[in-house]
Amino acid sequence: MIASKEDPKWKELLSGKVQHQFQLASAAMIVSRCQRQVSRDPSPQTMDKNLDEMYAFFTKFENVVSEDLKAIFS
């Protein structure tokens, strides 16, 4: 089961405080792209938009990225 969007680890992943080597290249790419956008514009609106995008991706592909999610959120 995917962690709630309110879990602080999502923002830590988005801000780069949590580093992880993803098994799925597309997961690494979306996280990297969202991190770059937030680093350019750290406003709350940009954070929320990118957090929503990351969360939607991981929710959609939860079965494929389950091991990565366990490693990040445990």
Side-chain angles (χ1 to χ4, degrees):
M1 186 168 145
I2 194 163
S4 164
K5 198 181 341 180
E6 286 74 35
D7 189 312
K9 291 270 186 169
W10 284 112
K11 284 192 177 181
E12 291 174 6
L13 181 62
L14 184 57
S15 69
K17 289 179 185 175
V18 169
Q19 298 290 320
H20 181 74
Q21 288 292 109
F22 290 94
Q23 296 176 12
L24 188 65
S26 56
M29 289 176 11
I30 195 161
V31 170
S32 177
R33 184 170 52 80
C34 289
Q35 287 174 337
R36 283 193 310 273
Q37 289 180 8
V38 167
S39 71
R40 282 187 231 124
D41 176 14
S43 70
Q45 295 84 1
T46 303
M47 286 285 288
D48 290 344
K49 175 184 170 276
N50 285 281
L51 182 61
D52 288 344
E53 188 174 340
M54 272 186 4
Y55 191 79
F57 174 87
F58 283 99
T59 300
K60 183 174 182 177
F61 298 104
E62 182 178 1
N63 59 334
V64 180
V65 295
S66 62
E67 292 301 315
D68 290 313
L69 292 172
K70 284 180 194 173
I72 294 168
F73 290 95
S74 61

